[in-house]
């Protein structure tokens, strides 16, 4: 090869790529785009699927490894290590990959630090499911507010002039969050009329095919709140 001439194709180092994809809320919601993307991978990981499950998704992957039960850091480390053997690796998650997903966010950060390209494939999220479950065709004139309770519970403010979805609401029922839970319930009573509607939504998911919707009011919400769990979202519409 003469000086200054471009390297031969075989000499060009192929850039490594991680494909972060999702099956949505249930494996049957997986898109053709995701199936095609995962088939390009030498190895595919998931923190929410088991090997040999009833779905066709894991069985359609060239190689599949379940990482269920690993910590966030452990999951990211396993994915990163796979690039020592493969140029293209897949990671299957749930919902829309970057919508309130701590695992996908950490993996994306780790890949960026390692110089690994990341391709994200969209999917059905809990927000999409809620819109259809509750027929949220129109929102209040002041718009719709989305709140991540895991991040906002210690500095929460209420906006009764807006429709509000409180995601990750079940964190308020975790040990050590009693004060934040009381502040949340008290804040609802201070900012909304007693008879104002409140809805608890558990979207149908891989863990719960049926899901559930509980409709109550601000004054009765305290009796319902123990049923709010890790996948529950709370809708409080705007005060008209």
């Amino acid at each position: 090869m003469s000086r200054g001439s471009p390297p031969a194709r075989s000499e060009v180092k192929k850039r490594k790529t991680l494909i972060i994809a999702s099956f949505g809320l249930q494996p049957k919601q997986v898109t053709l785009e995701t199936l095609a993307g995962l088939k390009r991978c030498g190895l595919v990981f998931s923190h929410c699927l088991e090997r040999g499950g009833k779905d066709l998704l894991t069985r359609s992957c060239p190689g599949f490894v379940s990482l269920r039960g690993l910590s966030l850091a452990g999951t990211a480390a396993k994915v990163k290590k796979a690039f020592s053997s493969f140029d293209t690796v897949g990671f299957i998650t749930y919902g829309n990959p970057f919508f309130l997903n701590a695992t996908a966010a950490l993996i994306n950060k780790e890949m960026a630090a390692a110089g690994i390209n990341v391709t994200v494939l969209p999917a059905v999220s809990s927000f999409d499911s809620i819109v259809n479950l509750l027929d949220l065709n129109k929102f209040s004139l002041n718009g719709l507010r989305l709140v991540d309770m895991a991040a906002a519970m210690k500095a929460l403010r209420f906006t009764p002039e807006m429709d509000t979805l409180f995601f990750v609401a079940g964190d308020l029922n975790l040990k050590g969050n009693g004060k934040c839970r009381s502040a949340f319930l008290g804040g609802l009573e201070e900012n909304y009329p007693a008879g104002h509607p409140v809805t608890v939504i558990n979207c149908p998911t891989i863990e719960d095919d049926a899901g559930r919707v509980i409709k109550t009011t601000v004054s009765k919400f305290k009796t319902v709140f123990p049923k709010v769990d890790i996948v529950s979202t709370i809708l409080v519409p705007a005060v008209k």
Side-chain angles (χ1 to χ4, degrees), residues 48-65:
C48 52
L49 293 176
E50 297 281 7
R51 174 182 288 279
K54 61 182 179 180
D55 59 274
L56 295 174
L57 180 55
T58 59
R59 283 179 280 171
S60 68
C61 297
F64 176 80
V65 176

Side-chain angles (χ1 to χ4, degrees), residues 32-86:
L32 294 176
E33 179 185 37
T34 287
L35 288 174
L38 294 176
K39 287 180 180 178
R40 293 166 40 205
C41 302
L43 191 63
V44 176
F45 295 97
S46 179
H47 62 149
C48 52
L49 293 176
E50 297 281 7
R51 174 182 288 279
K54 61 182 179 180
D55 59 274
L56 295 174
L57 180 55
T58 59
R59 283 179 280 171
S60 68
C61 297
F64 176 80
V65 176
S66 176
L67 301 179
R68 289 195 68 166
L70 281 186
S71 65
L72 268 67
T75 299
K78 283 281 188 181
V79 173
K80 187 176 179 180
K81 185 177 179 181
F83 285 100
S84 61
S85 302
F86 302 98

